[in-house]
Amino acid sequence: MSPYIFMERNGIHVIDLHKTVVKAEEAAAAMKQIAKSGKKILFVSTKKQAKSSLETLAGEVNMPFVTERWPGGMLTNFATIRKAVRKMSSIDKMMTTTTYTVFSKRERLQMTRQKDKMQKVIGSIADMTRLPAAVFVVDVRKEHIAVAESRKLGIPVFAMVDTNSDPKPIDFVIPANDDATKSIDLIVGLMCDAIKEGLSERKAGKEKAAEKTAEAPTAEKAAEAPVVEAKVEEVTEEVAPVVEEKVEEDTPVKEEKTEEADNSENKEEKGE
């Protein structure tokens, strides 16, 4: 952590805040792009100082988080975790139906305890149907298992790294105090704000695409209208001379018929 340390005073290392700002902005920009692509970011912190703020801020942007205990193999053995999530959801559904009353009181109590235990550990990742695109960690030393699993699967790691931690396994290092509640709130809030911007841009892009698709048929109809008018004019120009010729041919016949009718009337009058 020596590149990020400003000075040492009475055995306490002071972090260079200028570098903290630069690294935090880089991490926020990367978070924004990940959120814009529609992928999930997993927030991890089992420290008491970070639990409440992490749950609140990550929940606002609808991102999964782990604040109770990191279940071993959560990323490397993700299929088993998904089975546990499906079991938890099946128990939830069963409790809302009449089949739940068939079980004895002891069995219902065991099922409730099992569901509560699973809800506490994996309830916050129930909506995570696939591996996350990135992992954000508070306190690298405490969450070393999460970092190791992410590195093994090639998932980029964003982390608040204190002066007593090793930044080498971290892809996006944010040098900061990971023990102070205000520091954690500030960094996590900055990351969540970047995620919000990415999600809003994604939503705006979808709305624009929908408008374009809606405007495309009307534009095609507008382009076809002059072509149809031109075709109608061509047909009328072709048909008009033919109609005139037929009219001219029919008029002498009508005149002859009228003359014959007059002659026949005159003959009838003379005969009378």
Side-chain angles (χ1 to χ4, degrees):
M1 283 296 292
S2 57
Y4 307 106
I5 294 174
F6 178 70
M7 62 180 293
E8 182 182 353
R9 181 182 295 174
N10 300 327
I12 298 172
H13 294 90
V14 180
I15 295 172
D16 190 349
L17 294 180
H18 293 288
K19 293 183 179 180
T20 300
V21 171
V22 172
K23 290 294 183 180
E25 288 177 352
E26 290 178 2
M31 285 265 193
K32 181 180 176 181
Q33 293 301 320
I34 293 171
K36 190 176 178 180
S37 64
K39 297 177 181 178
K40 294 288 185 181
I41 300 165
L42 178 63
F43 287 80
V44 182
S45 178
T46 56
K47 300 182 76 168
K48 292 180 180 179
Q49 300 94 317
K51 278 185 181 182
S52 59
S53 62
L54 198 70
E55 289 176 0
T56 304
L57 295 170
E60 287 178 357
V61 293
N62 196 23
M63 291 294 169
F65 56 88
V66 175
T67 55
E68 290 297 328
R69 179 180 66 83
W70 177 264
M74 180 176 164
L75 297 179
T76 53
N77 196 13
F78 188 68
T80 304
I81 299 296
R82 286 303 304 167
K83 287 181 182 178
V85 171
R86 285 194 290 270
K87 186 176 181 181
M88 182 183 67
S89 61
S90 66
I91 293 173
D92 284 334
K93 290 179 181 177
M94 189 186 299
M95 292 176 71
T96 58
T97 59
T98 55
T99 55
Y100 185 66
T101 58
V102 177
F103 296 98
S104 64
K105 186 177 180 180
R106 184 180 179 183
E107 288 174 335
R108 290 200 299 269
L109 184 60
Q110 289 176 347
M111 289 171 65
T112 304
R113 287 177 178 173
Q114 185 182 13
K115 190 207 80 166
D116 292 340
K117 186 178 179 181
M118 294 170 72
Q119 181 71 32
K120 187 177 181 180
V121 178
I122 60 175
S124 58
I125 61 168
D127 296 332
M128 193 173 70
T129 56
R130 61 182 66 184
L131 287 171
V135 176
F136 181 86
V137 177
V138 178
D139 195 345
V140 177
R141 295 184 69 184
K142 189 175 180 63
E143 313 299 341
H144 65 279
I145 299 174
V147 174
E149 290 188 18
S150 302
R151 296 286 296 173
K152 187 175 182 180
L153 296 175
I155 299 172
V157 180
F158 298 73
M160 291 179 63
V161 184
D162 209 340
T163 54
N164 60 348
S165 303
D166 183 14
K168 289 180 181 178
I170 309 303
D171 298 294
F172 293 88
V173 178
I174 304 173
N177 186 359
D178 57 14
D179 295 317
T181 305
K182 289 184 179 180
S183 174
I184 294 169
D185 293 346
L186 181 64
I187 299 298
V188 175
L190 182 63
M191 298 300 111
C192 290
D193 289 340
I195 291 171
K196 284 180 184 178
E197 289 180 8
L199 293 173
S200 61
E201 288 182 5
R202 178 178 172 82
K203 186 178 179 181
K206 283 185 176 181
E207 290 176 355
K208 286 183 180 179
E211 289 176 0
K212 286 182 180 179
T213 53
E215 290 174 359
T218 56
E220 289 178 0
K221 289 179 181 179
E224 289 175 358
V227 178
V228 172
E229 290 177 358
K231 286 184 178 180
V232 171
E233 290 177 358
E234 290 178 1
V235 171
T236 51
E237 289 176 358
E238 292 176 358
V239 172
V242 178
V243 173
E244 290 177 357
E245 290 177 0
K246 286 186 177 181
V247 170
E248 290 176 356
E249 291 176 358
D250 293 340
T251 49
V253 176
K254 288 181 179 179
E255 289 176 357
E256 291 176 0
K257 286 183 178 180
T258 53
E259 289 177 358
E260 289 177 359
D262 293 337
N263 293 331
S264 60
E265 287 177 359
N266 292 332
K267 286 179 182 179
E268 288 177 357
E269 290 175 358
K270 288 180 181 180
E272 291 176 355

